[in-house]
């Protein structure tokens, strides 16, 4: 089938809308480099647009009518939004679902140590990464430290121009003959991904040592020797104490994420692309969010789920496998006067969903890894993956033909540009999304999103045109899906 580069189809008005959307998307990426930061940014946006917090409505025993907008946050890492439609929720919802976690390095619970004159933080990588991509680049630390008294300290170091950054060292090329013989998976191993955070020893106050002139020399020498032990580590701890009120033991109850330092940037002389960290899957999360904010009153209730933990299997209390979403649907239906266990089941089974996640983009430099007939190209519109999974579709949701035909009709009617793809050649591997989890309810689900170059690398690339088409496609779906 003929593929059309969508840049050639836009008029001046659409190009202005595209650039405005891209600019807003880049600002979202800069503001939300962690799940918690994304949730804060999302809540600030949607409350300005009239969304009300679910627990407050429950407490006040408010009812929900057509057009009502409501949201619920879970553990500051996942969120679900609803715009109540004209039809009863029992007849199903139109759902967008994306994830807001991305591959990164997590700081361990006992991380701080000194070795060879450097202070380090020990890390554990999160999600699928090529470990060698994370060395020698500027890194930032984002997250929270929760102290024993319950107070939370927010940490964001490395993003401002006058902030320090951090890094992971690599062996100099002059001594790397043996290293270069290793397989890529072993060139840098997981336990070597410790970030360097300091090299300056804590300065000893000599005046203080001179106050007691009667102290014996051997005792004084022992004291100075003890003070010099792990002096770089002590220097870092002194800074953390002064700047944040953090003690070493506070790392036990901290969630600190190491991410690439730097802002999202336009890429290419033509500025047609966006280069940034975390576009898998915040590109679909943002486009889904924007679609929810743009839709008018709809026949069916519009819903958007943005969740955590997809990169490690959607597990845990904030992942899609949690009952958080199902419980929230029950609460919303109760406020709408529709609740029963049977109605909740009917609602979920009758719903339609776009599992909004990224797809691999064709890379001419590695053409042999792709089936060129069944791969997404940057600039050819949003992407549909009928199935994902690995090799023989293992672990995949596989959308039925009737549903795909329904989606095609919607997108053709609304002039949304789209393409179909697989993640790569059949026997090379694959990947998964949250689609199969929602499909457990019996609802129609298909994967759709944006093609990404350099997926899971510290810096990923997308086409502005594809980001724009994804938002347009999500709006069309929310307003028209009814299978």
């Amino acid at each position: 089938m003929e593929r059309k580069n969508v840049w050639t189809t836009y008029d001046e008005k659409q190009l202005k809308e595209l650039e405005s959307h891209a600019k807003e998307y880049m600002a979202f990426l800069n503001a939300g480099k962690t799940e918690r930061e994304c949730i804060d940014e999302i809540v600030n946006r949607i409350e300005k647009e009239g969304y009300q917090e679910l627990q407050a409505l429950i407490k006040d025993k408010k009812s929900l009518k057509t057009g009502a907008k409501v949201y619920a946050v879970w553990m500051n890492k996942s969120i679900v939004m609803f715009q109540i439609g004209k039809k009863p929720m029992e007849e199903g919802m139109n759902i967008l679902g994306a994830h807001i976690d991305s591959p990164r390095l997590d700081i361990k619970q006992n991380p701080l140590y000194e070795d060879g004159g450097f202070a380090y933080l020990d890390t554990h990588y999160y999600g699928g990464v090529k470990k060698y991509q994370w060395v020698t680049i500027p890194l930032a630390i984002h997250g929270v430290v929760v102290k024993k008294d319950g107070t939370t300290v927010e940490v964001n170091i490395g993003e401002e121009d006058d902030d320090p950054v951090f890094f992971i060292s690599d062996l100099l090329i002059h001594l790397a003959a043996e290293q270069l013989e290793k397989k890529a998976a072993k060139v840098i191993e997981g336990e070597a991904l410790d970030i360097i955070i300091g090299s300056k020893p804590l300065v000893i106050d000599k005046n203080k040592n001179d106050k007691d002139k009667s102290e014996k020399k051997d005792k004084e020498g022992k004291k100075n020797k003890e003070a010099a032990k792990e002096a770089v580590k002590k220097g870092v701890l002194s800074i953390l104490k002064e700047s944040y009120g953090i003690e070493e033991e506070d790392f036990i109850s901290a969630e600190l994420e190491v991410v690439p330092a730097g802002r999202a940037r336009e890429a290419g002389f033509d500025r047609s692309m966006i280069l940034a960290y975390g576009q898998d899957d915040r590109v679909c999360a943002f486009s889904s969010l924007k679609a929810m904010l743009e839709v008018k009153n709809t026949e069916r209730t519009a819903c958007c789920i943005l969740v955590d933990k997809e990169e490690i299997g959607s597990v845990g209390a904030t992942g899609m496998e949690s009952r958080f979403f199902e419980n929230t649907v029950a609460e919303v239906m109760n406020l709408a006067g529709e609740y029963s266990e049977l109605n909740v089941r009917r609602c979920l089974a009758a719903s339609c969903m776009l599992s909004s996640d990224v797809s691999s983009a064709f890379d001419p430099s590695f053409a042999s890894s792709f089936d060129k007939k069944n791969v997404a190209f940057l600039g050819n519109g949003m992407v549909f993956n009928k199935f994902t999974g690995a090799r023989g579709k293992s672990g995949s949701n596989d959308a039925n033909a009737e549903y795909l035909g329904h989606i095609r009709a919607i997108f053709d009617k609304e002039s949304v540009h789209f393409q179909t793809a697989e993640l790569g050649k059949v026997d090379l591997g694959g990947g998964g999304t949250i689609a199969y989890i929602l499909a457990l309810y019996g609802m129609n689900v298909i994967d759709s999103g944006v093609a990404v170059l350099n997926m899971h690398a510290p810096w990923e690339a997308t086409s502005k045109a594809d980001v724009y088409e994804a938002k347009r496609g999500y709006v069309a779906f929310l307003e028209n899906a009814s299978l």
Side-chain angles (χ1 to χ4, degrees):
M1 292 182 288
E2 182 184 359
R3 300 177 183 273
K4 181 181 290 185
N5 189 301
V6 300
W7 285 101
T8 64
T9 69
Y10 294 138
D11 57 27
E12 287 299 318
K13 180 182 177 183
Q14 288 175 310
L15 286 171
K16 287 181 180 179
E17 290 176 353
L18 179 153
E19 292 296 346
S20 176
H21 183 64
K23 184 177 180 180
E24 192 176 351
Y25 167 52
M26 292 167 69
F28 177 81
L29 289 174
N30 294 333
K33 284 195 169 182
T34 70
E35 309 91 313
R36 290 173 182 269
E37 291 174 350
C38 284
I39 293 298
D40 288 344
E41 181 71 10
I42 291 165
V43 170
N44 288 338
R45 286 171 178 262
I46 64 178
E47 286 189 341
K48 291 177 182 177
E49 299 296 330
Y51 276 81
Q52 296 178 285
E53 204 272 325
L54 177 62
Q55 289 303 317
L57 295 175
I58 293 172
K59 183 179 179 180
D60 295 338
K61 298 181 180 179
K62 295 289 184 68
S63 61
L64 295 177
K65 306 297 183 183
T66 298
K69 300 175 182 180
V70 59
Y71 76 93
V73 171
W74 195 243
M75 295 186 180
N76 298 315
K77 294 182 182 179
S78 295
I79 188 170
V80 58
M81 295 163 269
F82 302 85
Q83 181 173 305
I84 307 302
K86 298 174 184 177
K87 292 184 177 181
M89 290 182 68
E90 178 189 357
E91 296 183 23
M93 302 180 288
N94 291 341
I95 304 171
L96 300 172
H99 66 93
I100 52 176
D101 62 316
S102 295
R104 59 178 188 262
L105 307 179
D106 284 342
I107 301 297
K108 292 183 179 181
Q109 263 51 65
N110 185 25
L112 184 58
Y113 70 96
E114 180 177 333
D115 191 9
F118 294 106
Y120 290 89
L121 286 177
D122 198 358
T123 74
H124 192 133
Y125 62 90
Y126 172 95
V129 301
K130 290 181 177 179
K131 297 183 285 291
Y132 62 81
Q133 293 179 331
W134 286 78
V135 300
T136 74
I137 65 173
L139 300 170
I141 300 175
H142 293 238
V144 296
V145 179
V146 181
K147 304 171 79 171
K148 286 191 294 185
D149 63 3
T151 59
T152 299
V153 180
E154 294 187 3
V155 177
N156 186 335
I157 312 170
E159 302 296 351
E160 299 299 328
D161 290 341
D162 59 349
D163 279 355
V165 294
F166 312 96
F167 67 99
I168 300 165
S169 63
D170 191 14
L171 186 62
L172 63 161
I173 187 64
H174 310 74
L175 303 178
E178 291 183 2
Q179 182 193 44
L180 294 175
E181 293 298 319
K182 295 180 180 180
K183 291 184 177 180
K186 296 291 184 180
V187 169
I188 300 292
E189 300 197 33
E191 290 295 349
L193 292 174
D194 295 352
I195 63 171
I196 294 176
I197 59 170
S199 64
K200 181 181 177 181
L202 181 68
V203 177
I204 300 168
D205 188 349
K206 293 182 178 180
N207 293 328
K208 185 177 180 181
N209 291 334
D210 291 340
K211 285 181 180 178
D212 187 2
K213 298 295 185 180
S214 63
E215 187 175 22
K216 293 182 180 179
K217 289 184 179 181
D218 59 338
K219 188 176 180 180
E220 184 176 302
K222 184 178 180 181
K223 183 179 179 181
N224 288 339
K225 185 177 180 181
E226 185 66 27
K229 185 180 179 181
E230 294 191 318
V232 177
K233 174 182 172 180
K234 290 175 180 176
V236 169
L237 284 171
S238 177
I239 293 169
L240 292 177
K241 177 69 173 176
E242 181 180 348
S243 300
Y244 298 98
I246 297 172
E247 306 281 357
E248 184 172 6
E249 284 194 358
D250 291 329
F251 282 109
I252 294 173
S253 51
E255 289 181 2
L256 297 173
E257 302 178 12
V258 179
V259 300
R263 304 176 69 80
R265 301 290 296 273
E266 294 175 308
F269 281 116
D270 54 9
R271 300 177 182 265
S272 62
M273 296 170 286
I274 296 169
L275 189 69
Y277 165 72
Q279 297 200 75
D280 177 7
D281 184 34
R282 291 171 190 141
V283 62
C284 296
F286 176 76
S287 297
S288 299
L289 168 66
K290 284 291 292 180
M292 284 292 291
L293 296 179
E294 287 190 16
V295 293
K296 308 301 181 184
N297 288 347
T298 55
E299 291 295 313
R300 286 167 45 116
T301 292
C303 175
C304 178
I305 316 163
L306 304 177
V307 293
D308 181 26
K309 296 294 187 288
E310 191 275 345
E311 296 294 359
I312 58 172
S314 297
V315 295
T318 55
M320 196 66 244
E321 288 192 355
S322 164
R323 294 289 182 88
F324 159 64
F325 172 62
E326 183 179 335
N327 293 343
T328 305
V329 171
E331 294 283 8
V332 170
M333 293 187 73
N334 187 52
L335 294 184
E338 293 189 52
Y339 176 75
S340 74
E341 179 65 21
L342 182 57
N343 278 354
V344 172
R345 291 177 181 271
R346 286 173 174 170
C347 171
L348 294 171
S351 294
C352 295
M353 181 186 181
L354 295 185
S355 175
S356 308
D357 210 337
V358 298
S359 186
S360 57
F362 178 71
D363 188 337
S365 297
F366 304 96
S368 62
S369 295
F370 303 95
D371 171 8
K372 203 169 182 180
K373 303 185 302 300
N374 291 284
V375 66
F377 287 78
L378 249 62
N380 282 17
M382 68 177 295
V383 187
F384 283 100
N385 292 80
K386 185 176 185 295
F387 52 85
T388 54
R391 290 170 286 278
K393 300 186 180 181
S394 176
S396 172
N397 169 69
D398 195 346
N400 64 50
E402 291 84 355
Y403 186 46
L404 193 49
H406 180 57
I407 296 298
R408 286 178 59 203
I410 292 172
F411 279 36
D412 285 348
K413 173 188 171 186
E414 300 295 334
S415 300
V416 176
H417 300 280
F418 69 92
Q419 53 187 319
T420 60
E422 297 180 14
L423 288 179
K425 284 190 173 178
V426 174
D427 287 332
L428 288 186
T433 67
I434 64 172
Y436 75 97
I437 302 170
L438 276 299
L440 293 173
Y441 294 112
M443 70 176 70
N444 279 295
V445 184
I446 189 169
D447 285 291
S448 69
V450 175
V452 173
L453 204 64
N454 308 340
M455 192 189 298
H456 280 216
W459 297 97
E460 299 168 316
T462 56
S463 167
K464 289 180 179 178
D466 297 338
V467 179
Y468 176 62
E469 289 299 320
K471 187 267 296 184
R472 294 184 66 241
Y474 294 157
V475 171
F477 167 79
L478 291 175
E479 293 180 342
N480 295 283
S482 61
L483 189 64

